[in-house]
Amino acid sequence: QKIKGQIDYSSADKQLEWLRNKNIICKGHPLIFLNPQIMPEWFRNLPYRELKQLCLEYIRTTILRFRGQIHIWDVINEAHVQPEAGTGVNGYTKEENVDLTCEALKAARQADPSCFRIVNSTGTWSDYYMTNNPLTGQQTVYDYYKMLQSAGADYEAIGLQFYYSGRDFVETEREIEKYRDLGKPIHITES
């Protein structure tokens, strides 16, 4: 939404049209991503309550629009580390990030009771973000999912991104197994 209140779905429409006869399962990525590189100027630094309301409206509108075409959604992306330091965007507390995630998941379920909801996270080992002077709302991926679990977040899968880890497959397997106690299927969403 470059202009408040005007959502431009033309790019998504073109992509879906191209995919329609390709026998490819479509996934919406992401519904919420509080990254200043993709956020419109007017959306940055809003008070939490206003941002949350706008995000939930966007989720409902978007899922309803694409219902029947997109069934799988990354409902929220990288909320545990947004915004990154030095981006000029105010962050929210860990508790607000968890609240936004929980409410976003509920909004997605309301818009399409059968949709498959993923909570997607990056920097799985958390060394990139946590060693670079983390901001107030930033936390490790695992701690974020544990907070979601404590908050009773309802979703279908954990999405983990594995980038530039410098680790072997054994360490990667150990890292993935760490999330087993959360009781959710794990999708490797980016690598």
Side-chain angles (χ1 to χ4, degrees), residues 27-67:
K27 174 184 169 188
H29 172 82
L31 289 166
I32 300 175
F33 187 20
L34 301 179
N35 183 306
Q37 294 175 340
I38 63 166
M39 292 167 58
E41 189 70 40
W42 65 268
F43 196 75
R44 299 175 191 174
N45 299 318
L46 290 175
Y48 174 68
R49 287 177 156 236
E50 186 178 352
L51 172 120
K52 179 172 130 177
Q53 186 60 38
L54 289 167
C55 285
L56 299 180
E57 288 172 17
Y58 176 76
I59 287 171
R60 288 184 198 100
T61 301
T62 302
I63 290 180
L64 285 171
R65 186 175 199 289
F66 294 111
R67 192 170 169 180

Side-chain angles (χ1 to χ4, degrees), residues 55-147:
C55 285
L56 299 180
E57 288 172 17
Y58 176 76
I59 287 171
R60 288 184 198 100
T61 301
T62 302
I63 290 180
L64 285 171
R65 186 175 199 289
F66 294 111
R67 192 170 169 180
Q69 298 177 77
I70 301 174
H71 179 71
I72 304 166
W73 293 94
D74 284 335
V75 174
I76 192 161
N77 190 51
E78 304 177 15
H80 63 293
V81 292
Q82 293 303 324
E84 291 189 39
T87 59
V89 176
N90 294 335
Y92 302 100
T93 67
K94 294 173 188 175
E95 293 76 17
E96 287 169 333
N97 286 336
V98 167
D99 177 63
L100 179 61
T101 303
C102 290
E103 294 303 313
L105 293 164
K106 288 176 191 173
R109 175 60 75 226
Q110 290 165 353
D112 181 356
S114 69
C115 72
F116 190 91
R117 300 160 301 160
I118 300 169
V119 175
N120 201 37
S121 300
T122 190
T124 308
W125 280 276
S126 300
D127 47 3
Y128 174 79
Y129 291 97
M130 297 298 103
T131 58
N132 291 326
N133 243 351
L135 300 176
T136 305
Q138 293 180 333
Q139 60 184 318
T140 69
V141 175
Y142 185 78
D143 289 345
Y144 168 67
Y145 284 112
K146 287 301 278 185
M147 283 183 75

Side-chain angles (χ1 to χ4, degrees), residues 7-25:
I7 304 173
D8 180 5
Y9 291 113
S10 61
S11 178
D13 288 336
K14 286 178 189 172
Q15 291 172 30
L16 285 169
E17 181 61 35
W18 185 86
L19 290 167
R20 190 159 285 126
N21 297 316
K22 304 288 191 270
N23 203 21
I24 296 173
I25 297 172

Side-chain angles (χ1 to χ4, degrees), residues 172-181 186:
T172 301
E173 181 183 21
R174 274 193 222 131
E175 182 65 15
I176 293 169
E177 286 177 356
K178 178 170 76 175
Y179 294 87
R180 183 181 291 166
D181 71 317
I186 296 168

